[in-house]
Amino acid sequence: MMQSQEDSFLALLASRCIDKYGAELHQCCFVFPSQRAGTFFRYELSKRLNQPSFSPQIITVASLTEKLSGLKLAQRTQQVCLLYREIVTLREELGFPIDEKSNPHLPFDHAEKLLSDFNDIDNYLVEPDEIFHNLKALDDLTSLDYISPEQREAIEIFFGYLSQVNSDKKERLEELFSAMTTEMQLLYHRFRDTLESLGLGYSGMLARRASEVNEEDFDKNLQKLLSPSVRHIIVAGLYHISTAERKILKRLQYSHERYTTSFYWEEVKLANHTTPSDWDYLIGKTMQASKQELGGEWLSPQERLDPKIDIVQIPSDIGRSKLVPTLLQELIDDAPRAIEDLQCAIVLPEVNTLLPLLDALQGISHPINITMGYPLHLSSVAVWLHRYIELQQFTRWSEKGELLPLDALEHLIKHPLSNLLVSSEELSPLNEALRYNYYYIDYQKICALYPQELPEPLHLLIEPISDKSALIQRLITLLDQLASLLRDEDNTAEDEADSKAEADHVHYIRVLEIEFIKKLRDLVIQVGNLLPLMGDTAERTILYRLLFKLVGEETLPFEGEPLEGLQIMGFLESRLINFDYLIIPESNEGALPHKRPINRGYIPYNVRQGYNMPTYQSDDYTEAYYFYRLVSRARRVFFIVDSRSEKEPSRFLAQLRYLFHLTPQEHTVKVSMLATQTPKITIPKDEAVMAILREYTTSNRDNVKKALSASSLSTYALCPLQFYYKYIRQIPEVEERTDLLSPGDFGTVIHNVMQELYKPYEGKSLSSQDYEWLLDPHTSLPRISAVVNSYYAQDVLHQKSTPNEIEGMHQMYIRMIMEEVYAVLKFDAQYTQGGHQLAYVASEQRIDMIESLPELGIDVRFKGFIDRLDEVDGRLRIVDYKTGTDSQTFKDWSQLYFAQEKTQHRKAIAQIFLYSEAVLRLVENGRAQQEGLKWLQPRYNQVQPSLYQLKGMCSNKESYNPLIRLEQTEIEDYATSEIRNSYCHELHEVLLRLFSPDIPFTQAEDEDACRYCAFKAICAR
């Protein structure tokens, strides 16, 4: 017969119990591994009952254990905080306090491992003192060879404070492990006592207590749990049962005459020729062992058909989610009522693929029910919280005030949720101030930016808070405001939406964000309530770490109608539920099954085996069981596999082939990269563009008088489209603030310092004695240092006066500037020492030039600023300081403005040649005096262009040569006809291209030129 929902375990169980108990069904209590299994069981019962009936009681194994123990399960937050307190207190008593400020994460990582071990010790009824004693004795027997590398590293990190241990690593590790087990033994008992005094326990502790409680309390707690009408307890569908749970179930079975206890087990079969040993290999023997000890009945369909399996391969992460709607439609075509009849499910091994999947499913018409939690740390509000905590965590507190870290502050105020709290107008003064600070900014200076007072929303957002309780209250206030603002924004967006679909989508996103905020708020409140329990042991850094950790572990459960629509769940949530049609979008190794560490905690693998405690193999068996029980009862299954070379298909797919001899149909989906290619952009020069270009010419009749610069012309030469965006459209370049000093600021300080140092010598010749004085460490060093500090404060820190103390990275940059300043002075000193005459002429001088284009009937204006001018042996020398790595050599004149590749472009040479040409034209035209350039004498008919590569000067102090070289020939005089005519030809040609109306603006041929372009996002390169 054909497989269908009538063959599921819950359907068979419902039929069996109706036949067996009939009208007494309300006298039954069903115990399932999950609440969701109970919900689907009620659904199966309702379909089979022919007359009204009272519903039976349905509970989970976890709730049964908790009620029988007489304790309440402590929240994970409580467990971590209380165990942390015990760790810190015990360490102080032993004389080895934890350095929380330098290692704030260690106590929580340590607590997680300890909790895992304590849970397993109690769940499997291991005698605690015995196992700890044996752990201490094991080093004599095996020399700790049983400890994994990961465990060794964790032990050494956490107990690294022990200074008295032997320097030999092996002996040191043995002593550390002995200290570890001693501490574990003490903490185990102290932690349990603390929890019990509060009426709380962790899951293993509850199971142990329930299994060991006396008969009177056991009966009393059981009667409190069960409804008065209950006479029959039916335990169904369990798989992995711990020793303590097994003992509890045996007590139910044999110790109570008032109740009958029955067990039903789900038999998993896939392919008729599969042997029991095959299943033992795949899912272990735990279920068979439990059935043998507790008895009961297997439930299995009478006839099986192997599922039809399709493996779809696609080389894309996002493509896997995008493919699901197509596969879903194929299933609906095969079985139109599959979704309405709750027989279609998408099972996700990885929860982080949930949101991309939901985005891909937006177009489907069926309702969706999600039965899994979404990680809170992946939400936008969790990112916002992380940035807020980082601002508080890295704020520097001193007697002078509070210094806020700029990185953390900028990241916080740029977050979209912060922009919801604080308006752009309120943030404007702060954003302006952030441009001129590099590492920290004084909170009081921020307050002073606002004439009246700091806007209240901004005050709430960035005020430094040292008190832990006040910080918790501030977070609650901010989260409440965010939730309120999101509700208001949701209402506004719904009114402004163009369509109902768009409004629904916006509403869905807003509701999801609000739910994330509510969940986060609950976590913050929990931490706040636990602060008194943690007492004085909790430093602020520990509070931050605790918040980060809890957010990282928390999930937001989706609530909906479980018996309606397309089911989306994880494998854990699918326990005891079966579907005819399955889609598994993440079917690669590492996700299916999950990649997990070999060791859970500190108790080694061999010791766990000896005490029958769970190991990584137990987890593998459990995951395999969930997988095979789901697949075995399906009619059709789609597995989506990432086919990229670095990805490996799940081992389960190979097992289906080679152990069960199934023959999946394989499909490959190709992702075409050609569709993502962006067409080239070409901007024609229409009349509007030409009008703007004419502003750079003398023929412009408007009052606007623009002039090209050397850098703007080089921009056009490198990429005409970049010139269009920057100078025609005038799109501002977004400057991202960085901790590093920008090359522009670095060069500005160098220029200003050199101008200041040479200013006393303007119009004068410098002697070797002058340079000796300038370079003397005793007489001149303090002055030069003061000049550098002054201009650094002015140009970099944007402060009018030099601060008393410049700290951190700024000191390093100042030392670099000092080094390059001295390199320039030492290089210049060589001229006087070599018998040359060097006279300082001027610095930072503006020059103007006009280039005629008779072909187009226009004259183009140029302007520029020369860094420095000297007269060396009667020849005018133009000096251009370069803080980068510009080349001083070119092989061909086309490299100035027509280079095919960015690496071949010679921007610095083109710039200094332009300045040289402008100077010569002023001399030849006799216009220098008219334009007020008194320094430009008629005798300067020879010009020597010199590039001062400051890095080269520092690294090659003795051999550095600033002259430009055409191949191997040094250019000592730009005025020679060959050099000058060649440059002027290149300049003329590039200007013709720029101003010709027939030549459009196009993208750079060499895409390497786009790597750091501010406009690359616009042209999509």
Side-chain angles (χ1 to χ4, degrees), residues 579-861:
F579 301 95
D580 286 346
Y581 302 96
L582 298 171
I583 299 175
I584 303 177
E586 186 83 14
S587 302
N588 287 85
E589 195 69 19
L592 184 67
H594 286 96
K595 184 179 181 181
R596 55 177 57 87
I598 293 178
N599 296 288
R600 294 164 171 250
Y602 290 117
I603 300 176
Y605 174 83
N606 290 350
V607 177
R608 285 179 168 273
Q609 278 193 317
Y611 280 94
N612 197 32
M613 295 169 66
T615 64
Y616 71 93
Q617 291 173 316
S618 310
D619 296 329
D620 285 346
Y621 285 148
T622 301
E623 196 163 356
Y625 169 72
Y626 293 151
F627 173 81
Y628 283 111
R629 67 153 304 281
L630 197 60
V631 171
S632 66
R633 292 179 181 267
R635 291 181 56 192
R636 189 172 186 186
V637 185
F638 279 107
F639 294 99
I640 305 178
V641 176
D642 191 331
S643 61
R644 287 175 290 186
S645 58
E646 66 270 19
K647 302 283 188 175
E648 183 180 352
S650 169
R651 73 188 76 165
F652 291 156
L653 301 184
Q655 291 168 0
L656 291 174
R657 263 196 198 91
Y658 301 116
L659 291 180
F660 299 100
H661 305 291
L662 300 180
T663 55
Q665 296 293 317
E666 297 200 25
H667 316 272
T668 300
V669 177
K670 294 183 178 180
V671 179
S672 175
M673 302 305 293
L674 295 176
T676 63
Q677 287 185 346
T678 305
K680 291 185 177 181
I681 299 175
T682 300
I683 306 294
K685 294 175 183 173
D686 57 20
E687 180 53 36
V689 171
M690 292 306 300
I692 297 174
L693 284 174
R694 281 195 294 272
E695 294 176 0
Y696 292 93
T697 70
T698 59
S699 60
N700 182 42
R701 296 178 181 179
D702 298 329
N703 292 327
V704 179
K705 292 185 178 181
K706 295 180 180 179
L708 290 176
S709 65
S711 61
S712 64
L713 193 58
S714 289
T715 298
Y716 177 80
L718 190 62
C719 178
L721 188 62
Q722 185 180 359
F723 180 93
Y724 170 78
Y725 288 140
K726 188 172 183 178
Y727 298 101
I728 304 298
R729 295 292 301 273
Q730 296 183 339
I731 300 175
E733 298 183 43
V734 178
E735 295 183 9
E736 293 188 7
R737 199 191 61 78
T738 173
D739 286 342
L740 302 176
L741 183 64
S742 70
D745 286 344
F746 192 93
T748 299
V749 177
I750 292 282
H751 284 64
N752 289 335
V753 169
M754 295 309 304
Q755 184 178 15
E756 182 73 17
L757 294 179
Y758 273 104
K759 192 174 183 179
Y761 303 98
E762 187 172 333
K764 301 177 183 177
S765 295
L766 284 90
S767 64
S768 57
Q769 289 78 14
D770 290 323
Y771 281 106
E772 287 177 7
W773 183 85
L774 282 171
L775 294 168
D776 187 278
H778 301 292
T779 58
S780 189
L781 178 59
R783 175 176 173 267
I784 294 177
S785 179
V787 171
V788 170
N789 278 270
S790 175
Y791 279 107
Y792 192 91
Q794 174 184 308
D795 300 326
V796 177
L797 303 180
H798 296 270
Q799 299 180 13
K800 295 181 180 179
S801 59
T802 305
N804 295 330
E805 189 175 351
I806 298 179
E807 300 176 335
M809 291 286 288
H810 296 300
Q811 281 287 356
M812 183 193 74
Y813 288 128
I814 286 174
R815 286 196 295 269
M816 293 171 60
I817 292 170
M818 289 286 292
E819 181 183 0
E820 297 194 358
V821 167
Y822 267 85
V824 172
L825 294 174
K826 289 178 180 177
F827 179 80
D828 289 343
Q830 293 177 13
Y831 281 93
T832 58
Q833 294 167 0
H836 298 282
Q837 294 294 319
L838 187 151
Y840 171 69
V841 176
S843 290
E844 300 300 323
Q845 289 296 318
R846 172 169 175 158
I847 54 169
D848 296 280
M849 185 182 89
I850 292 177
E851 174 69 12
S852 295
L853 299 179
E855 299 91 335
L856 301 176
I858 59 176
D859 296 324
V860 180
R861 286 193 295 264

Side-chain angles (χ1 to χ4, degrees), residues 9-25:
F9 173 80
L10 294 178
L12 294 172
L13 178 65
S15 298
R16 183 66 53 90
C17 291
I18 290 173
D19 293 342
K20 184 175 181 178
Y21 300 107
E24 298 180 353
L25 199 60

